[in-house]
Amino acid sequence: MTEVLIINTGGTFNKVYNPINGLLEIDTQGDALRSITSKWHCEIEIIDIIGKDSLDLSNHDRLELLATISQFNFHHIIIVHGTDTMDITAEYLNEGDLKKCIILTGAMVPYSIDPVEATANLCSAYGYMNAMHKEGVYISMNGLVDSYDKIKKDRSKGKFTL
Amino acid sequence: MTEVLIINTGGTFNKVYNPINGLLEIDTQGDALRSITSKWHCEIEIIDIIGKDSLDLSNHDRLELLATISQFNFHHIIIVHGTDTMDITAEYLNEGDLKKCIILTGAMVPYSIDPVEATANLCSAYGYMNAMHKEGVYISMNGLVDSYDKIKKDRSKGKFTL
Amino acid sequence: MTEVLIINTGGTFNKVYNPINGLLEIDTQGDALRSITSKWHCEIEIIDIIGKDSLDLSNHDRLELLATISQFNFHHIIIVHGTDTMDITAEYLNEGDLKKCIILTGAMVPYSIDPVEATANLCSAYGYMNAMHKEGVYISMNGLVDSYDKIKKDRSKGKFTL
Amino acid sequence: MTEVLIINTGGTFNKVYNPINGLLEIDTQGDALRSITSKWHCEIEIIDIIGKDSLDLSNHDRLELLATISQFNFHHIIIVHGTDTMDITAEYLNEGDLKKCIILTGAMVPYSIDPVEATANLCSAYGYMNAMHKEGVYISMNGLVDSYDKIKKDRSKGKFTL
């Protein structure tokens, strides 16, 4: 089996409802990821960094992500990321020329509201990674799993397309 | 993207509660699969055959599965299958020497009770298939995705192991 | 059995996630109420009016609610309402001296996120109404079901108390 | 507020899936009841006894239920019970002439599969009890809440009717 590191950066995937203020807020503890992988009988390492909506990601945040990827000894890395700037981060990481197999994923609806879509996106990424050993940057969203430059978000329709 | 055929043969994955008799029964319409893939923006073909617990599969049923695989023009095929004899069917298909990329998956708990485990198993299979183009027979269960002969069900513990 | 009218005015109870803008919005069709009562073998009438957060309710909206209550021939009325000004509307209706048995309920977390809390609040109201025939205005929230002037929302803690 | 004792005797309400043997088994710890009432800001006492399908209840079990009711100092008691012999137990308790307000409830589908139906039945009972102070034995199922002798289970249709 492939050893996989999951870097959780926040995004809709991780949002939970706060009954005090009525807002959906990012769970920076990453409970959604732990819940999905709790039934898995393989070794997974999960780390939580940044904890932001992807529209709020700064250059400093992307630098932190790059540094985190470099610092860990894993060749296979899944990044849970907000959907709005997933393509920008993917391109940024591609330019970093990291010699790793990296796949970005996320969710259109929080795991706490629709566990199926978030689980499907994450696990399509996870399965892909177990068969893909070539270096590169990929995206996994809503049944689409391919090189990052082939998948785009259509914001007006709220969905990803090839 | 890879064109994938999903053959749904029944098993725990598809069980739903019947309030009249108090039993879990296999939904032979495959609503669980349609529900998971309803958010996907890719082409998936799903067919429902057999509709049995894997302990009840006969030689005739496995022959029907083999015939179905041969009859469709897809190179990539996911089979949703009961967990108890998944390994037997995998070996049977491997001996069939089908020159296709086939991956078996299922669930320890029905989708209607725990949608996350069933979705994770199916989507790990789906992701794997999108990166794996070599012929062979594989299994995807609980974070384990590999050649069928490397993954075994430990029935006393109710889990799959390498 | 008591004949009950449910007037759905909006509030957190009815919020659903909109993946296009990432916001929780009030479902003015009242799908949550229809989903809960779909398993009931009794006659229930549901009408949807106003469709607002309770912080956005105007005098005009409360007048519309009062008119709706008067217009229907039911003695027993459940009002699904946002929690923030539930007490203000209850007092307003009490002053209206309607000679009816009215109970307000709602949810701290949307039904689409936590179906159990919303269902519990509504059904505690429904059960109460089936045994209570005295005129008056009542509130049902989080296990508390009593005359409206005995139950208060503590906004800083996000909960109702006696 | 009314002080309520909930006596949990088992039944479909409490069934959970056991992945080792593939069966639905009664959770004798009563996690479903604790989960529903965890959001309530009132005093509830819950005790778990018997832990059986109602078709398996013996005379000895019903005697234990009667003894438990007598032993506790509560006037208001909800009994979570299997649906198949709910009417028999209700009649048995009615003949016991307990001078208490007792309401039986349960679920057609386990809470672990459909949390909404089980929650609705329990909370309709709970609300009813908060307004009903007369002695008697009642049943709460699927929107029907009334004296026990007015509500019957139609087993062929799997539903309760007046």
Side-chain angles (χ1 to χ4, degrees), chain A residues 15 19 24-25 33 35-36 44 50 63 69 83 86 89 96 104 116 124 131 133 136-137 140 144 155 159:
Chain A
K15 286 190 179 167
L24 288 165
E25 296 174 343
L33 273 175
S35 173
I36 298 170
I44 287 285
I50 303 170
L63 201 61
I69 292 169
T83 59
M86 192 181 274
T89 301
L104 292 94
V116 169
S124 298
H133 300 289
V137 179
S140 163
L144 308 177
R155 288 200 202 170
K159 64 178 205 177

Side-chain angles (χ1 to χ4, degrees), chain A residues 2-162:
Chain A
T2 308
E3 295 194 327
V4 176
L5 170 68
I6 304 179
I7 302 179
N8 187 21
T9 72
T12 294
F13 190 100
N14 290 286
K15 286 190 179 167
V16 293
Y17 189 74
N18 178 344
I20 308 286
N21 62 16
L23 298 177
L24 288 165
E25 296 174 343
I26 291 171
D27 164 29
T28 56
Q29 307 294 310
D31 284 354
L33 273 175
R34 270 78 181 181
S35 173
I36 298 170
T37 58
S38 67
K39 306 271 178 61
W40 294 7
H41 307 307
C42 56
E43 306 262 320
I44 287 285
E45 186 152 343
I46 301 172
I47 58 165
D48 304 283
I49 61 172
I50 303 170
K52 288 188 184 172
D53 254 329
S54 74
L55 288 172
D56 299 333
L57 287 182
S58 63
N59 288 340
H60 181 267
D61 294 324
R62 290 203 170 86
L63 201 61
E64 181 183 347
L65 175 59
L66 199 65
T68 306
I69 292 169
S70 307
Q71 164 195 343
F72 279 84
N73 211 14
F74 288 79
H75 185 253
H76 288 84
I77 295 169
I78 293 173
I79 299 169
V80 175
H81 194 284
T83 59
D84 279 324
T85 68
M86 192 181 274
D87 55 343
I88 295 172
T89 301
E91 185 148 15
Y92 177 87
L93 294 177
N94 191 58
E95 286 168 4
D97 196 21
L98 289 156
K99 315 281 184 211
K100 303 211 179 195
C101 178
I102 295 170
I103 183 159
L104 292 94
T105 191
M108 295 303 297
V109 177
Y111 175 84
S112 63
I113 297 180
D114 176 9
V116 169
E117 189 230 336
T119 301
N121 295 342
L122 177 74
C123 296
S124 298
Y126 175 75
Y128 194 78
M129 190 142 271
N130 271 276
M132 172 57 72
H133 300 289
K134 281 192 286 188
E135 295 163 7
V137 179
Y138 308 90
I139 282 180
S140 163
M141 283 298 294
N142 301 115
L144 308 177
V145 205
D146 213 329
S147 180
Y148 82 95
D149 53 349
K150 295 199 185 140
I151 297 176
K152 296 287 166 210
K153 182 172 178 184
D154 179 337
R155 288 200 202 170
S156 65
K157 295 189 184 161
K159 64 178 205 177
F160 282 76
T161 54
L162 275 184

Side-chain angles (χ1 to χ4, degrees), chain A residues 1 39 41 114 126 142-143, chain B residues 1 39 41 114 126 142-143:
Chain A
M1 291 291 298
K39 306 271 178 61
H41 307 307
D114 176 9
Y126 175 75
N142 301 115
Chain B
M1 292 290 299
K39 307 270 180 59
H41 307 308
D114 176 9
Y126 175 74
N142 301 115

Side-chain angles (χ1 to χ4, degrees), chain C residues 2 4 76-78 101-104 120-140 143-148 150-151, chain D residues 1-2 103 120 122-133 140 145:
Chain C
T2 309
V4 175
H76 287 84
I77 295 169
I78 293 173
C101 178
I102 295 169
I103 183 158
L104 291 94
N121 295 343
L122 177 76
C123 296
S124 298
Y126 176 75
Y128 194 78
M129 190 140 272
N130 271 276
M132 172 58 72
H133 299 289
K134 281 193 286 189
E135 295 162 6
V137 180
Y138 307 90
I139 282 179
S140 163
L144 308 177
V145 205
D146 213 330
S147 181
Y148 82 95
K150 295 199 183 140
I151 297 175
Chain D
M1 291 291 299
T2 308
I103 183 159
L122 177 75
C123 297
S124 299
Y126 175 74
Y128 193 77
M129 190 141 271
N130 272 274
M132 172 57 73
H133 300 289
S140 163
V145 205

Side-chain angles (χ1 to χ4, degrees), chain D residues 42-77:
Chain D
C42 57
E43 306 262 320
I44 288 284
E45 186 152 343
I46 301 172
I47 57 165
D48 304 284
I49 61 173
I50 305 170
K52 289 188 183 172
D53 255 329
S54 74
L55 288 173
D56 298 333
L57 286 183
S58 64
N59 288 341
H60 180 268
D61 293 324
R62 290 204 169 85
L63 200 62
E64 181 184 345
L65 175 58
L66 198 65
T68 306
I69 292 169
S70 308
Q71 164 195 341
F72 279 84
N73 211 13
F74 288 80
H75 185 254
H76 288 85
I77 295 169

Side-chain angles (χ1 to χ4, degrees), chain C residues 39-41 114 126 142-143, chain D residues 1 39-41 114 126 142-143:
Chain C
K39 306 272 180 60
W40 294 8
H41 307 308
D114 176 9
Y126 176 75
N142 301 115
Chain D
M1 291 291 299
K39 306 270 179 62
W40 294 8
H41 307 307
D114 177 9
Y126 175 74
N142 302 115

